[in-house]
Amino acid sequence: MPSNTLRHIGIDASRVAVDARTGTEHYTYELLAALAQLDRRNRYTLYCNQRPTVLPPLGPNFALRTIPFARLWTHARLSAELTRHPPDTLFVPAHVLPLGAPLRRFRTVVTIHDLGYLHFPEAHTPLHRRYLQLSTLWSARAATHIIAISAATRADLIRYTGIPAQKISVIHHGLAPRFRPVEDTSLLAKVQARYGITGPYFCYIGTVQPRKNIERLIEAFARTLGTTNAGLQLVIAGKRGWLTEAIERRAAALGIGQQVRFTGYVPDADVPALLGGALAFVFPSLYEGFGMPVLEAMACGAPVLAANTSSLPEVAGDAALLVNPEDVAAITAGMARLLNDAALRADLRARGLARAAQFTWQRSAAATLQVLLG
C-alpha cells in the first residue's frame, strides 16, 4: 500500500476498560492519547470488551467499537469482528494476537512488554505459565512486526523465541505530564497524612509481589533503621499481588511493622506528591520489562535507588544509584548513602529530572505510528 494512502488501524483497546490501571493499561491509555494528538488523518477503530469509563481525548477519526464481553474475548469475539471487518493494520498493545482472525489479510503489530514468566516461573500456576508461554510465542511468530518496550525485552525475545532481530523495534515508554515535581507543601502534607506518613520516608510504588524484591527491601530498611533515630518510614504503595501476605508478615517478623506502611493501590492523583515528598524512591526489582516507576519517580524529583539488572540500567542511565538487588547489604548501603548524603540526593534529583525529560509519549507515538504504517 503506498505510504500516502490513508489506513484503517484497528487497536485492541480492552486494556483501557478497567478502573484501576497498572502497567499495560497505562501504556495503552497514554499511547492512544498521543496517537490521537499526532494523527488526524488515518482512521482508527478501538475494540473494547466493555465501554471504558474514561477515554483519552480522541479526534473524529477515532471510533469506539464495543463488543460485549465473553469468555475468550480476544480469540472468539474480537476474531469474529476482524474476520467480518478487517482493518489495514491491527495493533495489540499487550501481548496476545487473536487466534481465530485471518491475520494474513492485514498487517499485525503486537507490543510485548516482558518475558517475566520465564524469569520467575514460580509466580504463576503451571497452567497460566503454559498459557503465557504459548500465547507469547504465537503472537511473536504470527505478528508482522513486534514492538519491545526495552532493549532488554528485545534481547529476551531473540534469545527465547528465535525471532529475527529485524522484526523487533524497541520503542520506550513516555511520561504523562502529571509526573512533575509538586511544589505545593500543603498538598504534600495532605497526601502524606492520608497514608499515615509522619516523618522522612523511602517510597516504593508497584505491585506487591515477590519479583519486586520487597522482602529484601524490608530487610535492608530494617538494617538502615538500626543506624538512625530520624523516625524513618518505608512506604510500600501498590495493589496486592501474588504472596503479598508473606511480604507483609516479613515486616512484622523483623519488628518494624509500625515503620513500614502498606498503602494498597494509590490513585493516580496522589502518586506525584507521594513520590515528590519522599527522601528517595527505592526499586530493587529483580526483573522489569521497562521499569516505569523509575522514570515516574525521577520526573517527580525523587532521587532513585534501583536494581542493576534487566531493563533498569537502560532506563535509569546515569541518573540513579544502582545496586545488586540480590544483596541485602548492597541495598542497605545504598539506602544509607541516600539517607545521609544530601548532596548525593540533590545530584540524583537533577540528573533524574533531565533523564525523565527525554521520555515522551509524543516520541513513542511517532515511532509506533511509523511501525503501524509499515
Side-chain angles (χ1 to χ4, degrees):
M1 187 177 292
S3 60
N4 60 349
T5 302
L6 297 183
R7 313 288 182 90
H8 176 204
I9 299 171
I11 300 179
D12 178 354
S14 56
R15 292 280 176 166
V16 301
V18 297
D19 294 326
R21 295 194 301 270
T22 55
T24 54
E25 292 88 2
H26 277 299
Y27 168 79
T28 304
Y29 181 94
E30 297 295 349
L31 196 56
L32 285 177
L35 281 170
Q37 289 185 339
L38 175 69
D39 187 6
R40 304 296 176 92
R41 300 179 69 250
N42 294 289
R43 182 164 65 94
Y44 291 81
T45 299
L46 308 183
Y47 308 110
C48 288
N49 53 17
Q50 57 185 314
R51 187 166 186 85
T53 54
V54 179
L55 275 173
L58 302 172
N61 55 328
F62 281 74
L64 182 65
R65 176 75 173 98
T66 303
I67 307 168
F69 179 79
R71 288 179 62 84
L72 300 175
W73 180 85
T74 298
H75 299 308
R77 301 301 296 274
L78 180 56
S79 288
E81 174 69 17
L82 295 169
T83 301
R84 288 193 298 267
H85 306 289
D88 297 314
T89 299
L90 172 67
F91 176 40
V92 176
H95 287 288
V96 185
L97 284 173
L99 276 169
L103 300 183
R104 294 186 184 277
R105 292 176 57 190
F106 43 82
R107 180 174 177 81
T108 52
V109 177
V110 61
T111 300
I112 295 181
H113 295 260
D114 64 63
L115 275 69
Y117 65 90
L118 291 175
H119 294 270
F120 289 91
E122 68 276 8
H124 308 277
T125 65
L127 182 62
H128 190 223
R129 185 167 66 247
R130 186 64 174 160
Y131 169 76
L132 289 171
Q133 182 179 14
L134 291 175
S135 61
T136 301
L137 187 61
W138 150 254
S139 296
R141 290 181 175 173
T144 310
H145 201 82
I146 299 165
I147 293 172
I149 61 172
S150 66
T153 293
R154 181 176 182 266
D156 274 353
L157 280 166
I158 294 169
R159 177 182 178 186
Y160 292 111
T161 71
I163 299 299
Q166 62 269 26
K167 186 177 174 177
I168 309 169
S169 296
V170 175
I171 302 177
H172 288 144
H173 286 336
L175 270 170
R178 64 189 177 85
F179 292 105
R180 60 184 184 275
V182 175
E183 308 295 344
D184 184 344
T185 56
S186 64
L187 176 59
L188 291 171
K190 185 182 298 183
V191 169
Q192 289 171 24
R194 184 174 299 141
Y195 297 105
I197 302 169
T198 57
Y201 62 99
F202 289 104
C203 182
Y204 161 91
I205 295 182
T207 305
V208 181
Q209 58 176 305
R211 80 172 170 91
K212 301 298 185 177
N213 206 27
I214 298 172
E215 285 198 50
R216 285 195 183 97
L217 173 59
I218 291 170
E219 291 170 17
F221 177 67
R223 295 186 188 185
T224 306
L225 277 178
T227 68
T228 180
N229 295 314
L232 196 61
Q233 290 178 294
L234 172 62
V235 176
I236 297 175
K239 70 177 186 178
R240 297 167 66 85
W242 178 67
L243 291 181
T244 298
E245 295 83 359
I247 295 169
E248 292 172 341
R249 287 197 300 268
R250 186 60 181 150
L254 290 170
I256 57 170
Q258 296 302 310
Q259 288 79 29
V260 179
R261 304 290 302 172
F262 288 91
T263 69
Y265 179 80
V266 173
D268 290 351
D270 287 351
V271 170
L274 194 62
L275 289 169
L279 184 72
F281 178 72
V282 283
F283 199 71
S285 178
L286 294 169
Y287 174 82
E288 292 293 322
F290 185 80
M292 193 67 182
V294 166
L295 274 187
E296 293 170 351
M298 289 177 174
C300 293
V304 170
L305 179 148
N308 62 2
T309 57
S310 62
S311 63
L312 295 175
E314 173 187 348
V315 172
D318 67 351
L321 187 60
L322 301 178
V323 299
N324 178 354
E326 298 186 66
D327 185 347
V328 174
I331 301 171
T332 305
M335 295 176 78
R337 286 186 64 192
L338 288 167
L339 175 63
N340 297 312
D341 191 339
L344 174 63
R345 294 199 303 271
D347 180 58
L348 289 176
R349 183 180 192 275
R351 289 174 181 266
L353 289 168
R355 178 69 176 170
Q358 298 176 30
F359 294 80
T360 69
W361 283 114
Q362 290 72 27
R363 181 177 296 177
S364 298
T368 300
L369 182 59
Q370 186 174 1
V371 170
L372 296 180
L373 297 179

